[in-house]
C-alpha cells in the first residue's frame, strides 16, 4: 500500500491510500493500527494508554477526485472549527446514500 496523504485532528485521522488489488481494507487497517500503536508505545512510553478505536470508516475515491481529497485532508483543522467529526461523518454517509443506525455513531 502507498500513503498519498495523511492528516487529522486530535480525535481522528484521515488517510488517503492506494491499495493493491490483493489487499483488503481490513488488512490495511490492521497493518496501520498495529504498526502505529507499536511505534507510539515504544517511542512515547507515557502514552501507554493509547489505543485505536475498533471502528473505522472507509470510502473509495476515483482518481479524478484525488486532488480534492488531498485538499480536504490538509484542511482538517480549519474544517473542524466548523463541524464536529460526527457531523462530518453523517454528512458523508448521507451525501452518498449510505444508511446508518444512529446507535452505532460515536460522539
Amino acid at each position: 500500500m502507498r500513503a498519498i496523504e495523511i492528516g487529522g485532528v486530535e480525535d481522528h485521522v484521515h488517510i488517503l491510500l492506494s491499495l493493491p488489488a490483493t489487499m483488503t481494507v481490513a488488512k490495511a487497517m490492521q497493518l496501520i493500527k498495529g504498526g502505529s500503536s507499536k511505534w507510539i508505545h515504544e517511542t512515547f512510553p507515557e502514552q501507554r494508554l493509547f489505543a485505536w478505536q475498533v471502528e473505522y470508516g472507509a470510502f473509495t475515491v476515483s482518481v479524478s477526485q484525488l486532488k480534492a481529497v488531498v485538499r480536504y485532508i490538509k484542511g482538517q483543522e480549519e474544517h473542524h472549527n466548523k463541524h464536529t467529526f460526527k457531523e462530518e461523518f453523517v454528512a458523508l454517509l448521507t451525501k452518498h446514500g449510505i444508511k446508518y443506525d444512529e446507535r452505532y455513531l460515536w460522539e
Side-chain angles (χ1 to χ4, degrees):
M1 74 181 133
R2 181 174 63 91
I4 297 170
E5 188 67 39
I6 301 172
V9 292
E10 62 193 31
D11 64 348
H12 70 278
V13 65
H14 292 264
I15 305 172
L16 179 58
L17 295 174
S18 176
L19 298 181
T22 57
M23 181 178 287
T24 65
V25 171
K27 183 63 177 179
M29 293 308 300
Q30 176 190 20
L31 293 169
I32 291 167
K33 288 180 173 186
S36 60
S37 290
K38 182 178 187 298
W39 177 79
I40 289 170
H41 291 134
E42 289 175 351
T43 307
F44 306 100
E46 69 278 9
Q47 296 297 324
R48 68 185 178 282
L49 298 179
F50 171 82
W52 288 102
Q53 66 185 36
V54 174
E55 300 88 1
Y56 60 86
F59 301 88
T60 58
V61 177
S62 69
V63 174
S64 66
Q65 295 300 309
L66 288 182
K67 287 182 183 178
V69 174
V70 167
R71 277 193 311 275
Y72 174 77
I73 291 172
K74 286 182 176 182
Q76 282 302 292
E77 192 169 337
E78 179 183 328
H79 178 77
H80 286 294
N81 286 332
K82 300 174 190 168
H83 307 283
T84 67
F85 174 71
K86 184 177 180 179
E87 289 169 340
E88 171 191 32
F89 193 68
V90 168
L92 192 59
L93 294 173
T94 302
K95 177 181 177 179
H96 295 285
I98 300 170
K99 294 183 186 213
Y100 61 92
D101 188 327
E102 188 77 31
R103 294 176 298 172
Y104 299 109
L105 296 178
W106 56 97
E107 292 300 322

